[in-house]
Amino acid sequence: MLKLDYPEADYKKYDSDCPFTFEINKITEIEKPKGQLQYCGMNLSYPKLKGKIHLTYLGVDEKLLKISLRDAQNLTQEHTQKAESIKPIAYENENQNAYGMVYEVEGDAASPVQFYITDNEKHFLRGAVYFNAKPNYDSILPAAHYIKKDIEMLMESLHWKN
């Protein structure tokens, strides 16, 4: 019988070069794009799970925030062709000035979890989980749930640098 054994999550603070900090699982590896000094994005890689959280940060104003929110929702909706359902889960933490949405994508879509978080003023962070495997919902579900817990920790522990 198949037994999937994931390590218990142990978190540490990640103080990025970007204008935010958050807690990451100690099993993740940070991958920053080479040669893109102005770009503020990264991948949180899970080598043993063959998965990654692709993070993209944008400094925004009111106009770009509206565009970024629309784009994040549209990118998630593009998965409806392969998804059985998309469950949105709202996130709000007034103490940290952080508001967002997590989308659980059920079905054989390319990304089983997507999210964004913003301060609704000048910061916008978007993330999407991808696995280095053909999308098979039943097979990746345990790993997707494991990584989703890390996304929840990322959102809960996120602090914007001003």
Side-chain angles (χ1 to χ4, degrees), residues 108-109 131-137 139-140:
D108 294 339
F131 289 94
N132 189 18
K134 182 180 180 201
N136 182 326
Y137 183 67
S139 297
I140 63 171

Side-chain angles (χ1 to χ4, degrees), residues 67-86:
I67 293 168
S68 298
L69 288 168
R70 185 187 65 229
D71 288 350
Q73 293 164 359
N74 288 343
L75 286 168
T76 300
Q77 293 307 314
E78 286 179 10
H79 292 280
T80 57
Q81 293 175 353
K82 295 282 186 174
E84 293 172 17
S85 71
I86 298 176

